[in-house]
Amino acid sequence: TITVEDNVAPNAICQNVTVQLDNTGNGSTTAAAVNNGSTDACGIQSLTLSQTAFVCAEVGANTEVLTVTDVNGNSSTCSTTITVEDNVAPVAICQNITVQLDVNGSATITASQVNNASTDACGIAGLALNTTTFTCANINSNTVILTVTDVNGNSSTCAATVTIEDNVAPVAICQSV
């Protein structure tokens, strides 16, 4: 009786892969995408990757393991780098506001006053306005630009109208003559 055995593990060959997150902050890859021509004389039965789904918290380099199993149950592994990227800009949403000048004829606004629930799946790092201070010279409508930047450096803008009003009555000062 001759028993033929296959005790030789397959040759696992990996390649690095980049995963782009979508607008919901999710991305994925497959074992087949990481496989770079793994071989086995008797044939490969399966490829499995230690992690295939990625989220915002995993932006950057992630080391994962590809397991290659042949038709006779032998397996081997290789390591790969899955680079997760967030290239989706936040959704900038503005709202128009009306601001009253103070007794000195000035007004200051903040980006949060113009922001109207801007969103990003991975989180917003900052809000900035191109103009924040106004004077009597700005009475009526003024266009401002809100820049929304996410935690991975992507940004987008929207425009809002800031209406400046002067509702402070003048101070009448009389003198006797």
Side-chain angles (χ1 to χ4, degrees):
T1 300
I2 298 173
T3 302
V4 178
E5 293 182 351
D6 174 13
N7 294 320
V8 179
N11 184 18
I13 305 170
C14 288
Q15 64 183 345
N16 296 334
V17 174
T18 299
V19 171
Q20 302 292 333
L21 297 179
D22 63 16
N23 63 345
T24 64
N26 295 294
S28 64
T29 190
T30 63
V34 171
N35 184 38
N36 194 23
S38 300
T39 60
D40 185 82
C42 295
I44 294 174
Q45 178 179 335
S46 66
L47 302 168
T48 56
L49 189 59
S50 57
Q51 182 176 348
T52 59
F54 299 89
V55 294
C56 294
E58 294 161 316
V59 168
N62 299 271
T63 301
E64 301 301 334
V65 176
L66 175 68
T67 302
V68 179
T69 305
D70 70 14
V71 294
N72 293 304
N74 302 303
S75 64
S76 62
T77 61
C78 57
S79 291
T80 186
T81 300
I82 309 291
T83 303
V84 178
E85 295 181 349
D86 170 19
N87 294 318
V88 178
V91 177
I93 305 170
C94 288
Q95 63 184 348
N96 299 331
I97 62 171
T98 299
V99 178
Q100 308 299 320
L101 293 176
D102 63 16
V103 294
N104 298 315
S106 65
T108 303
I109 64 170
T110 64
S112 61
Q113 289 174 282
V114 173
N115 183 39
N116 191 19
S118 299
T119 61
D120 186 84
C122 293
I124 293 175
L127 303 170
L129 278 177
N130 67 331
T131 305
T132 58
T133 58
F134 300 90
T135 65
C136 295
N138 304 113
I139 292 176
N140 291 322
S141 298
N142 302 271
T143 300
V144 296
I145 304 298
L146 175 68
T147 301
V148 180
T149 305
D150 72 13
V151 296
N152 293 305
N154 303 300
S155 63
S156 62
T157 61
C158 59
T161 300
V162 176
T163 302
I164 301 299
E165 294 181 347
D166 176 12
N167 294 323
V168 177
V171 176
I173 302 174
C174 299
Q175 63 181 352
S176 299
V177 291

